[in-house]
Amino acid sequence: MAIDRSAAMRRFLADQREPVTPRDAATVLLLRDAGTDGGGIEVFMLRRHRGMAFAPGMYVYPGGSVEPHDRLPVHRFGGPTRHEWARALDTSADLAHSLVCAAIRETFEECGVLLAAPDPESGCPLPTGTDWDQQRLALAQGRTTLGALLEEHGLVARTDLLRPLGRWITPIFSTRRFDTRFFIAPLPDGAACRDFGEESDAVEWVPVRETLDRYERGDIPMMLATADALNTLAPHDSVAAALAAPPPSNIPLIVRAIRDGADFRFVVDGPDDAVPVDDFLSIRRRAC
C-alpha cells in the first residue's frame, strides 16, 4: 500500500485546516544477530491491521504515543539517569524520562518483551504465564501502569539496553501526527517476541538489508521513517556493532511538500539540505 502524498496534501489544503500538533512517541527496534560471523542483523516487525486509523497495512516496529503515566520513580529507573537521557536525546529531562518509559512499555505491550530486571546489572526475566499475560493486557488497556507492574515484581527498567536511532516527525498534511524517537535494543537472552494480534495481523523477524531492498523495490509497505531506520542499521554486521555506533542526529526529519505546477514534489528536511524523497535513502547511505 503506497502512500499518496500528493492526494494527502491536496486534501489538507482543500480542508483549510491547521496542522495537527504532533504527539511525542517512541518506537523500538528489537535486534538479534542473523547468524554467526557477521551474518547481519534481524529486526522484529509487525504489520498493522488494515482497519487501523494510522499506517494501516504498514510494517512497523513496536511503539506508540507517550502517555501521562509514562513515569518511573528513581529506584525503578535503571541505567542512565533522566538527565543523561536528556542529553542523549537533546530534550528536557522530563520528556526524555517519559520517552524512555514509553519505549519500554510499548515493547512489552506489543510483543511481550520486558526490558527490566531485578537490578540494573541482571538479565531480563522472561514474563511468561497467565499472570504476566493478564498484566500485559491490563497495561495495554490502560488499567495499570509500567511503574505499578515493575513495583509489584521488584524490577528495574533496563534503560541502558536502549540506544537512540533518530527522530522523525509526521508531515503536516497527515491527520495523525507524531514526533517519534527511534530506539534500538538487543533482544534479551532467552526472550521471544510474541504475536498478540491486537494492533497487527502479522509479525516476523526480518533481515535488515534484504527488507530494505524489498522496500526500495516496492515489495513491502512501510513509511519512509521506518525504512530509514533499516537504512541506518544496514552497514552493521552485528547487533554489537549497531549498539556501539554513534547515534544519528537528534534534529528531526520531516517530509515537506513543494508546489510544482498543478502537483507537488516532496523533500526531506533535516540537519542537511533538503533531499528529494525518492533519493533520500541512497543519499543517506552514501553519507555513512
Side-chain angles (χ1 to χ4, degrees), residues 250-262:
N250 284 305
I251 296 174
L253 297 165
I254 183 170
V255 172
R256 175 169 58 92
I258 300 174
R259 177 73 75 173
D260 187 8

Side-chain angles (χ1 to χ4, degrees), residues 47-129:
R47 186 177 67 192
R48 289 173 62 83
H49 286 300
R50 295 186 183 279
M52 299 292 287
F54 181 75
M58 295 285 179
Y59 277 80
V60 298
Y61 315 112
S65 299
V66 170
E67 301 292 348
H69 56 74
D70 283 323
R71 310 282 299 169
L72 289 174
V74 172
H75 69 287
R76 295 296 171 205
F77 193 86
T81 68
R82 66 191 196 118
H83 295 285
E84 290 171 324
W85 272 112
R87 289 191 290 274
L89 297 173
D90 193 20
T91 189
S92 70
D94 283 347
L95 179 55
H97 182 187
S98 294
L99 286 164
V100 172
C101 290
I104 291 175
R105 173 182 56 78
E106 288 283 351
T107 302
F108 182 50
E109 287 180 5
E110 295 196 10
C111 66
V113 172
L114 183 59
L115 302 177
D119 61 69
E121 305 298 326
S122 299
C124 299
L126 306 182
T128 57

Side-chain angles (χ1 to χ4, degrees), residues 3-5 8-9 11-12 17-22 53-55 169-178 223 254-255:
I3 299 174
D4 190 338
R5 297 186 181 91
M9 188 63 189
R11 286 194 298 271
F12 171 76
R17 56 182 170 85
E18 290 294 317
V20 175
T21 300
F54 181 75
I169 298 177
T170 318
I172 64 166
F173 51 76
S174 298
T175 56
R176 291 172 181 258
R177 301 186 66 212
F178 301 92
M223 294 173 288
I254 183 170
V255 172

